[in-house]
Amino acid sequence: MVRRGGIIAGLVVVLSGLVAVPASAATPAFVVANGVTQPIHAFADAVRETVWVDIGLDLDGDGVGDRVATDLIRPATTEPVPVIIDASPYYTTSGRGNESERKSYDSAGLPLKFPLFYDNYFVPRGYAVALVDFSGSSRSTGCMDTGGRSEVASGKAVVDWLNGRATGYSAASGGSPVTASWSTGAAAMIGKSWDGSITQGVAATGVDGLRPIAAISSWYDWFRSDGVSFRSFGTPTSLASGFENANARSRCAAVRSEMTAGAPGNGDYTAMWQQRDYVRNAANVRAAVFSVNGRADLNVKAVNWGQWLDAVPASVPRKLWLSQTGHIDPFDFRRATWVATLHRWFDRWLLDVPNGIENEPKVSVERAVDQWSDTADWPPAGTRSRTLYPVAGSVAGVGTLRTTPGTSTSSFTDNGSGTPSRYIASPGATSARRVVYSTGTLATDLRVAGVSRVTVAATPSTSTAHLSAYLVDYGPATARGSSGEGIRTLATESCWGENRPGDDACYRDTVATTAAVDAQVIARGWADLANYASLSTPRTLTPGTRYTMTFRLSTTDWTVPAGHRLALVIAGNDSSMTTTPGQLPRVTIGLAETSVRIPLLGTVPAARSGPAPEVVRIQPDPVPGRLDG
């Protein structure tokens, strides 16, 4: 929490019963009853304004500091209040939330519609809400730089302004200085997707106040994976071009050129990617972290949240939610619990309400559709990394996972059109496209919790080769459907907060989609074998030569239930996600040097031969999107 002068003054906190305030006294900033802040401020009377905050850069080169438009709404009280900030490029383009809400303004130019429910719910309870347009987007000046220093400054400068360390103005150019004398200085940033990613970037500067949803912790891992480029994600330049305003389009060619040069199509890790890697500065984080992610999110891939939480100091208060959805805000898959939990989180870390939320279980995981289980900590106590090895069986390309290495080799041919749903089908039969190795049938549950890493000893027949690897839970289950990212929007509505003209608090309800399945991918990863020795400098592969490469699989917290099997599938290019190599190879895997290191809680059964599980019902491969665009 950020506080001006180390004190939040003039606030009334009561743990039981409302405080009677004399008519002559100023309205308190907040009142607590039943452990949470209460709606004591008339939403219709809330103060609305726009302030343009100087971010300390001039990337558009006009000789004037770049300014970000900050639309504010706050309770009409003379007492100082904390602020919830969501910085975004989406407010006048694709919009926010499941209903794509956009900002709007009244005839006087004052902000009218504030997307999402934060203003409706929290302003009556004594919070201000600030919705910030990224530099170069909507009504801000400057340039968009796709996760770079300008966008991080868009959020950090607003926090600094709230604390008297930056300058705000009444207009995008010129205007008079505006101060935030009404602010306590306590600020929390929040946001899903691109918004949450910049939240992490701001937190890595050491600024307090953080709660991202499905956020990118390293932009390399959104566009690339261990040397291979993702097929449908474009480039940092093309992504920014979809959201930048007219000023940015005309004045930011140098920024676009820098991004283009820094993102070579071969998937190399460059200095530009390093600048956009928030994990390397995560040790600076002092803010309380609430991270929400979807296991099936192929947009903001799950490796992002795992590496972020691993790097954030252990002393930082944290909470983690893991759903089975795709790229979905928790407001649309666990609405009532989400609002109640977020309310208590902000009360605790912005207003010092002693509600004990920091002492509750830190992890909540959706184990089955709409069925949640809590764990005290992350990673869960007792988790140990185990190395498992593929061992050939009597069927070519099919074998077991054991705790000791095998011998011999297995091969597959990359035809350029393979996808996960095809790779994991028919695990007991030989496939020309992949190899598969599984444990025996589990006698007890086996929990996979963390980032797994696969080491592959691969001999390609050509000078280019891409690899894919998957951890698979084989066994019958009811899962969230792959359509709609796991939800379906209903015609009914529920309301969360207060209404005022031009800004209602009601949102369409959702329900989980479901599908009966016999196999589920629980972690996945992709790599370019040419980067076996370095992500920044690829090597030219010599056909017929064996190369060993270790690459990451996505972070997961998944329980493979008793009666199921855990399997490792290794294949060539994943045409649903990654670009196709220049020459399609036949790849031979040396089993003695190939392994997978998995963080496990439970016992891996002794390997034994047996009939392969029947796999008939496989979901279609989900289609990744462009952030929230």
Side-chain angles (χ1 to χ4, degrees):
M1 182 166 61
V2 181
R3 296 183 184 176
R4 183 179 293 118
I7 298 173
I8 298 180
L11 306 184
V12 178
V13 181
V14 181
L15 296 181
S16 61
L18 291 172
V19 169
V21 181
S24 59
T27 303
F30 72 94
V31 168
V32 175
N34 301 316
V36 292
T37 51
Q38 299 297 310
I40 63 171
H41 301 284
F43 191 47
D45 296 337
V47 177
R48 295 174 285 128
E49 62 181 327
T50 302
V51 177
W52 280 265
V53 178
D54 192 316
I55 67 172
L57 299 171
D58 180 22
L59 292 192
D60 62 10
D62 63 357
V64 179
D66 299 336
R67 298 179 184 179
V68 290
T70 305
D71 292 318
L72 291 151
I73 183 167
R74 52 189 172 87
T77 174
T78 58
E79 299 298 330
V81 297
V83 187
I84 299 166
I85 304 168
D86 189 341
S88 177
Y90 301 123
Y91 287 128
T92 57
T93 51
S94 56
R96 304 308 296 124
N98 191 39
E99 297 177 35
S100 301
E101 291 188 317
R102 296 172 176 82
K103 287 182 178 178
S104 67
Y105 302 86
D106 64 20
S107 58
L110 296 175
L112 180 63
K113 174 64 176 178
F114 285 73
L116 306 177
F117 78 101
Y118 305 133
D119 61 315
N120 309 84
Y121 189 86
F122 286 105
V123 171
R125 288 168 169 79
Y127 294 84
V129 171
L131 302 187
V132 183
D133 299 332
F134 278 5
S135 57
S137 75
S138 301
R139 299 197 300 162
S140 295
T141 62
C143 301
M144 294 191 65
D145 59 355
T146 311
R149 57 183 181 137
S150 180
E151 291 175 10
V152 171
S154 298
K156 184 179 183 298
V158 173
V159 176
D160 286 340
W161 172 70
L162 293 169
N163 285 273
R165 301 188 299 262
T167 305
Y169 295 91
S170 60
S173 61
S176 56
V178 179
T179 63
S181 58
W182 48 266
S183 168
T184 64
M189 291 193 69
I190 188 169
K192 167 179 173 261
S193 199
W194 205 335
D195 308 13
S197 306
I198 298 307
T199 294
Q200 289 186 334
V202 173
T205 69
V207 171
D208 286 333
L210 169 67
R211 205 291 303 160
I213 308 169
I216 299 165
S217 58
S218 171
W219 282 83
Y220 179 86
D221 294 315
W222 194 76
F223 289 98
R224 309 284 189 262
S225 175
D226 287 288
V228 69
S229 298
F230 290 120
R231 176 182 298 276
S232 61
F233 288 69
T235 67
T237 304
S238 64
L239 183 62
S241 68
F243 301 95
E244 61 186 0
N245 58 28
N247 176 73
R249 283 192 291 272
S250 66
R251 305 193 65 93
C252 297
V255 174
R256 289 191 292 272
S257 295
E258 179 184 353
M259 289 195 293
T260 299
N266 62 7
D268 287 357
Y269 187 84
T270 65
M272 189 211 71
W273 295 123
Q274 185 182 51
Q275 182 196 122
R276 290 159 174 79
D277 180 2
Y278 311 139
V279 176
R280 66 191 180 99
N281 292 319
N284 296 329
V285 173
R286 295 182 293 130
V289 176
F290 196 157
S291 183
V292 182
N293 309 272
R295 180 190 63 82
D297 191 346
L298 292 183
N299 192 317
V300 177
K301 275 73 71 181
V303 70
N304 280 277
W305 69 260
Q307 63 191 8
W308 174 255
L309 288 184
D310 285 347
V312 168
S315 58
V316 169
R318 66 188 66 198
K319 209 165 184 64
L320 172 65
W321 277 16
L322 300 175
S323 76
Q324 292 192 17
T325 67
H327 197 58
I328 297 295
D329 192 296
F331 186 75
D332 293 311
F333 64 71
R334 200 185 186 190
R335 186 169 295 180
T337 305
W338 168 244
V339 175
T341 306
L342 188 63
H343 184 181
R344 296 178 63 236
W345 187 260
F346 284 154
D347 279 357
R348 175 65 184 91
W349 300 115
L350 292 181
L351 291 172
D352 274 345
V353 175
N355 55 30
I357 195 169
E358 71 274 23
N359 301 319
E360 297 171 1
K362 295 181 174 64
V363 185
S364 190
V365 181
E366 187 182 19
R367 296 296 176 197
V369 178
D370 286 331
Q371 297 179 26
W372 293 78
S373 175
D374 293 343
T375 302
D377 212 341
W378 173 264
T383 302
R384 298 288 183 272
S385 288
R386 299 286 302 277
T387 300
L388 302 179
Y389 301 88
V391 177
S394 58
V395 177
V398 178
T400 56
L401 275 180
R402 302 190 183 188
T403 55
T404 55
T407 57
S408 73
T409 62
S410 290
S411 299
F412 59 82
T413 300
D414 187 353
N415 68 359
S417 62
T419 66
S421 62
R422 295 168 181 166
Y423 290 146
I424 69 175
S426 304
T430 299
S431 169
R433 298 181 177 183
R434 55 91 174 121
V435 292
V436 55
Y437 306 92
S438 66
T439 66
T441 301
L442 300 181
T444 58
D445 292 352
L446 184 64
R447 185 172 178 180
V448 182
V451 177
S452 300
R453 287 173 170 82
V454 61
T455 298
V456 179
T459 303
S461 64
T462 61
S463 61
T464 60
H466 292 172
L467 299 172
S468 304
Y470 311 88
L471 288 181
V472 184
D473 174 356
Y474 281 111
T478 299
R480 281 188 181 260
S482 59
S483 62
E485 305 278 7
I487 66 168
R488 178 169 56 88
T489 304
L490 305 176
T492 59
E493 286 189 333
S494 57
C495 302
W496 303 86
E498 298 183 17
N499 298 328
R500 60 175 175 78
D503 193 346
D504 72 84
C506 302
Y507 294 86
R508 292 177 66 185
D509 299 315
T510 68
V511 66
T513 59
T514 61
V517 298
D518 295 312
Q520 298 180 77
V521 175
I522 64 174
R524 64 189 80 204
W526 312 266
D528 185 343
L529 190 58
N531 291 95
Y532 68 92
S534 168
L535 283 184
S536 58
T537 307
R539 272 48 170 193
T540 300
L541 302 178
T542 300
T545 300
R546 177 177 293 183
Y547 301 93
T548 301
M549 184 175 187
T550 298
F551 58 98
R552 302 162 301 165
L553 304 185
S554 51
T555 322
T556 193
D557 188 331
W558 183 269
T559 298
V560 185
H564 288 207
R565 296 188 186 194
L566 174 65
L568 171 67
V569 175
I570 302 174
N573 191 65
D574 177 352
S575 65
S576 69
M577 289 293 295
T578 55
T579 56
T580 306
Q583 297 175 295
L584 294 171
R586 179 174 176 79
V587 178
T588 300
I589 303 296
L591 299 185
E593 297 80 29
T594 296
S595 63
V596 59
R597 190 161 179 80
I598 309 175
L600 293 173
L601 186 63
T603 301
V604 179
R608 60 183 184 275
S609 300
E614 183 179 11
V615 175
V616 177
R617 303 166 300 179
I618 298 178
Q619 288 199 61
D621 298 303
V623 179
R626 277 183 41 154
L627 288 177
D628 280 2

Tab-separated table of all heavy atoms in Angstrom, residues 1-13 27-30 77-82 181-186 350-352:
chain	number	residue	atom	x	y	z
A	1	MET	N	0.842	-1.195	0.000
A	1	MET	CA	0.000	0.000	0.000
A	1	MET	C	0.875	1.242	0.000
A	1	MET	O	1.890	1.307	0.674
A	1	MET	CB	-0.916	0.000	1.225
A	1	MET	CG	-1.862	1.162	1.283
A	1	MET	SD	-3.176	0.877	2.511
A	1	MET	CE	-2.220	0.736	3.994
A	2	VAL	N	0.469	2.251	-0.761
A	2	VAL	CA	1.193	3.511	-0.827
A	2	VAL	C	0.465	4.525	0.019
A	2	VAL	O	-0.730	4.723	-0.126
A	2	VAL	CB	1.260	4.028	-2.285
A	2	VAL	CG1	2.040	5.320	-2.346
A	2	VAL	CG2	1.881	2.991	-3.182
A	3	ARG	N	1.173	5.190	0.896
A	3	ARG	CA	0.542	6.204	1.739
A	3	ARG	C	1.349	7.479	1.712
A	3	ARG	O	2.572	7.451	1.866
A	3	ARG	CB	0.444	5.732	3.188
A	3	ARG	CG	-0.446	4.531	3.414
A	3	ARG	CD	-0.494	4.236	4.896
A	3	ARG	NE	-1.258	3.027	5.151
A	3	ARG	CZ	-1.374	2.521	6.364
A	3	ARG	NH1	-0.816	3.094	7.395
A	3	ARG	NH2	-2.077	1.421	6.544
A	4	ARG	N	0.698	8.611	1.548
A	4	ARG	CA	1.377	9.881	1.660
A	4	ARG	C	1.643	10.150	3.131
A	4	ARG	O	0.739	10.116	3.957
A	4	ARG	CB	0.513	10.999	1.068
A	4	ARG	CG	1.191	12.342	1.090
A	4	ARG	CD	0.304	13.410	0.476
A	4	ARG	NE	0.119	13.176	-0.946
A	4	ARG	CZ	-1.067	12.937	-1.490
A	4	ARG	NH1	-2.138	12.860	-0.751
A	4	ARG	NH2	-1.163	12.757	-2.783
A	5	GLY	N	2.921	10.396	3.486
A	5	GLY	CA	3.273	10.695	4.859
A	5	GLY	C	3.122	9.528	5.805
A	5	GLY	O	3.238	9.691	7.013
A	6	GLY	N	2.872	8.317	5.260
A	6	GLY	CA	2.786	7.133	6.095
A	6	GLY	C	1.497	7.015	6.891
A	6	GLY	O	1.346	6.119	7.706
A	7	ILE	N	0.536	7.913	6.713
A	7	ILE	CA	-0.694	7.893	7.509
A	7	ILE	C	-1.890	8.066	6.589
A	7	ILE	O	-1.870	8.867	5.670
A	7	ILE	CB	-0.704	9.028	8.553
A	7	ILE	CG1	0.466	8.856	9.547
A	7	ILE	CG2	-2.005	9.081	9.303
A	7	ILE	CD1	0.610	10.014	10.491
A	8	ILE	N	-2.939	7.294	6.836
A	8	ILE	CA	-4.235	7.570	6.229
A	8	ILE	C	-5.050	8.293	7.283
A	8	ILE	O	-5.395	7.730	8.320
A	8	ILE	CB	-4.942	6.279	5.781
A	8	ILE	CG1	-4.100	5.567	4.709
A	8	ILE	CG2	-6.320	6.593	5.249
A	8	ILE	CD1	-4.725	4.291	4.214
A	9	ALA	N	-5.365	9.549	7.036
A	9	ALA	CA	-6.014	10.386	8.051
A	9	ALA	C	-7.508	10.523	7.796
A	9	ALA	O	-7.979	10.407	6.677
A	9	ALA	CB	-5.377	11.774	8.057
A	10	GLY	N	-8.244	10.787	8.884
A	10	GLY	CA	-9.647	11.140	8.761
A	10	GLY	C	-10.566	10.013	8.359
A	10	GLY	O	-11.645	10.261	7.824
A	11	LEU	N	-10.186	8.765	8.609
A	11	LEU	CA	-11.010	7.638	8.213
A	11	LEU	C	-11.607	6.980	9.450
A	11	LEU	O	-10.989	6.908	10.503
A	11	LEU	CB	-10.168	6.607	7.447
A	11	LEU	CG	-9.391	7.154	6.239
A	11	LEU	CD1	-8.689	6.020	5.528
A	11	LEU	CD2	-10.308	7.889	5.275
A	12	VAL	N	-12.835	6.471	9.288
A	12	VAL	CA	-13.523	5.812	10.399
A	12	VAL	C	-13.614	4.330	10.102
A	12	VAL	O	-14.128	3.933	9.064
A	12	VAL	CB	-14.935	6.404	10.592
A	12	VAL	CG1	-15.648	5.676	11.708
A	12	VAL	CG2	-14.841	7.890	10.868
A	13	VAL	N	-13.087	3.495	10.980
A	13	VAL	CA	-13.126	2.048	10.817
A	13	VAL	C	-13.849	1.443	12.003
A	13	VAL	O	-13.455	1.655	13.147
A	13	VAL	CB	-11.697	1.459	10.713
A	13	VAL	CG1	-11.767	-0.057	10.526
A	13	VAL	CG2	-10.930	2.103	9.573
A	27	THR	N	-18.607	13.818	6.148
A	27	THR	CA	-18.894	12.422	5.843
A	27	THR	C	-17.594	11.641	5.851
A	27	THR	O	-16.628	12.038	5.201
A	27	THR	CB	-19.552	12.298	4.457
A	27	THR	OG1	-20.724	13.074	4.420
A	27	THR	CG2	-19.868	10.841	4.144
A	28	PRO	N	-17.514	10.538	6.575
A	28	PRO	CA	-16.261	9.773	6.596
A	28	PRO	C	-15.984	9.163	5.235
A	28	PRO	O	-16.899	8.961	4.422
A	28	PRO	CB	-16.525	8.701	7.647
A	28	PRO	CG	-18.006	8.535	7.649
A	28	PRO	CD	-18.563	9.908	7.381
A	29	ALA	N	-14.726	8.872	4.967
A	29	ALA	CA	-14.378	8.253	3.692
A	29	ALA	C	-14.963	6.852	3.593
A	29	ALA	O	-15.411	6.423	2.542
A	29	ALA	CB	-12.865	8.214	3.524
A	30	PHE	N	-14.960	6.117	4.705
A	30	PHE	CA	-15.542	4.776	4.675
A	30	PHE	C	-15.996	4.381	6.066
A	30	PHE	O	-15.538	4.901	7.085
A	30	PHE	CB	-14.557	3.756	4.107
A	30	PHE	CG	-13.405	3.409	5.008
A	30	PHE	CD1	-13.465	2.315	5.849
A	30	PHE	CD2	-12.248	4.173	5.001
A	30	PHE	CE1	-12.402	1.981	6.674
A	30	PHE	CE2	-11.173	3.844	5.821
A	30	PHE	CZ	-11.246	2.742	6.666
A	77	THR	N	-16.759	13.426	-0.911
A	77	THR	CA	-16.413	13.585	0.495
A	77	THR	C	-15.175	14.460	0.586
A	77	THR	O	-14.346	14.479	-0.342
A	77	THR	CB	-16.136	12.215	1.156
A	77	THR	OG1	-15.669	12.421	2.487
A	77	THR	CG2	-15.091	11.414	0.399
A	78	THR	N	-15.034	15.156	1.691
A	78	THR	CA	-13.837	15.971	1.900
A	78	THR	C	-12.691	15.147	2.469
A	78	THR	O	-11.573	15.652	2.591
A	78	THR	CB	-14.154	17.131	2.866
A	78	THR	OG1	-14.637	16.592	4.100
A	78	THR	CG2	-15.201	18.061	2.264
A	79	GLU	N	-12.960	13.914	2.829
A	79	GLU	CA	-11.914	13.042	3.365
A	79	GLU	C	-11.160	12.355	2.224
A	79	GLU	O	-11.735	12.036	1.178
A	79	GLU	CB	-12.535	11.994	4.282
A	79	GLU	CG	-13.258	12.569	5.487
A	79	GLU	CD	-12.326	13.339	6.401
A	79	GLU	OE1	-11.128	12.994	6.464
A	79	GLU	OE2	-12.791	14.290	7.052
A	80	PRO	N	-9.871	12.107	2.374
A	80	PRO	CA	-9.096	11.447	1.319
A	80	PRO	C	-9.495	9.986	1.159
A	80	PRO	O	-9.910	9.335	2.123
A	80	PRO	CB	-7.652	11.585	1.807
A	80	PRO	CG	-7.755	11.750	3.282
A	80	PRO	CD	-9.033	12.484	3.537
A	81	VAL	N	-9.359	9.496	-0.063
A	81	VAL	CA	-9.767	8.126	-0.383
A	81	VAL	C	-8.669	7.430	-1.193
A	81	VAL	O	-7.863	8.080	-1.860
A	81	VAL	CB	-11.091	8.117	-1.187
A	81	VAL	CG1	-12.234	8.693	-0.365
A	81	VAL	CG2	-10.943	8.866	-2.503
A	82	PRO	N	-8.616	6.096	-1.148
A	82	PRO	CA	-7.675	5.338	-1.987
A	82	PRO	C	-8.232	5.172	-3.395
A	82	PRO	O	-9.404	5.485	-3.655
A	82	PRO	CB	-7.582	4.001	-1.264
A	82	PRO	CG	-8.944	3.828	-0.666
A	82	PRO	CD	-9.400	5.209	-0.268
A	181	SER	N	-5.235	16.183	-4.263
A	181	SER	CA	-5.298	16.447	-2.823
A	181	SER	C	-6.335	15.576	-2.123
A	181	SER	O	-6.298	15.407	-0.908
A	181	SER	CB	-5.626	17.924	-2.591
A	181	SER	OG	-6.860	18.257	-3.213
A	182	TRP	N	-7.248	14.999	-2.875
A	182	TRP	CA	-8.308	14.159	-2.328
A	182	TRP	C	-7.854	12.715	-2.102
A	182	TRP	O	-8.602	11.886	-1.574
A	182	TRP	CB	-9.504	14.153	-3.284
A	182	TRP	CG	-9.078	13.893	-4.702
A	182	TRP	CD1	-8.795	14.819	-5.671
A	182	TRP	CD2	-8.838	12.614	-5.304
A	182	TRP	NE1	-8.394	14.190	-6.836
A	182	TRP	CE2	-8.420	12.843	-6.629
A	182	TRP	CE3	-8.941	11.308	-4.843
A	182	TRP	CZ2	-8.097	11.822	-7.504
A	182	TRP	CZ3	-8.616	10.269	-5.707
A	182	TRP	CH2	-8.201	10.537	-7.022
A	183	SER	N	-6.629	12.360	-2.542
A	183	SER	CA	-6.155	10.973	-2.510
A	183	SER	C	-5.336	10.695	-1.261
A	183	SER	O	-4.517	11.522	-0.838
A	183	SER	CB	-5.289	10.698	-3.750
A	183	SER	OG	-4.587	9.483	-3.621
A	184	THR	N	-5.513	9.511	-0.679
A	184	THR	CA	-4.646	9.073	0.410
A	184	THR	C	-3.258	8.707	-0.093
A	184	THR	O	-2.316	8.605	0.680
A	184	THR	CB	-5.225	7.837	1.110
A	184	THR	OG1	-5.254	6.734	0.176
A	184	THR	CG2	-6.607	8.095	1.667
A	185	GLY	N	-3.136	8.479	-1.409
A	185	GLY	CA	-1.908	7.954	-1.984
A	185	GLY	C	-1.911	6.446	-2.104
A	185	GLY	O	-1.062	5.870	-2.778
A	186	ALA	N	-2.846	5.779	-1.440
A	186	ALA	CA	-2.949	4.323	-1.550
A	186	ALA	C	-3.561	3.971	-2.894
A	186	ALA	O	-4.620	4.477	-3.250
A	186	ALA	CB	-3.808	3.773	-0.412
A	350	LEU	N	-5.813	-1.595	0.984
A	350	LEU	CA	-5.917	-0.158	0.714
A	350	LEU	C	-6.438	0.641	1.899
A	350	LEU	O	-6.182	1.839	2.000
A	350	LEU	CB	-6.826	0.097	-0.496
A	350	LEU	CG	-6.288	-0.365	-1.849
A	350	LEU	CD1	-7.279	-0.022	-2.959
A	350	LEU	CD2	-4.929	0.226	-2.151
A	351	LEU	N	-7.192	-0.025	2.776
A	351	LEU	CA	-7.808	0.699	3.900
A	351	LEU	C	-7.427	0.132	5.261
A	351	LEU	O	-7.930	0.597	6.285
A	351	LEU	CB	-9.336	0.682	3.745
A	351	LEU	CG	-9.886	1.507	2.576
A	351	LEU	CD1	-11.378	1.259	2.401
A	351	LEU	CD2	-9.618	2.989	2.783
A	352	ASP	N	-6.566	-0.857	5.263
A	352	ASP	CA	-6.098	-1.446	6.524
A	352	ASP	C	-7.219	-2.050	7.369
A	352	ASP	O	-7.108	-2.123	8.598
A	352	ASP	CB	-5.346	-0.409	7.373
A	352	ASP	CG	-3.871	-0.335	6.997
A	352	ASP	OD1	-3.401	-1.253	6.302
A	352	ASP	OD2	-3.211	0.637	7.388
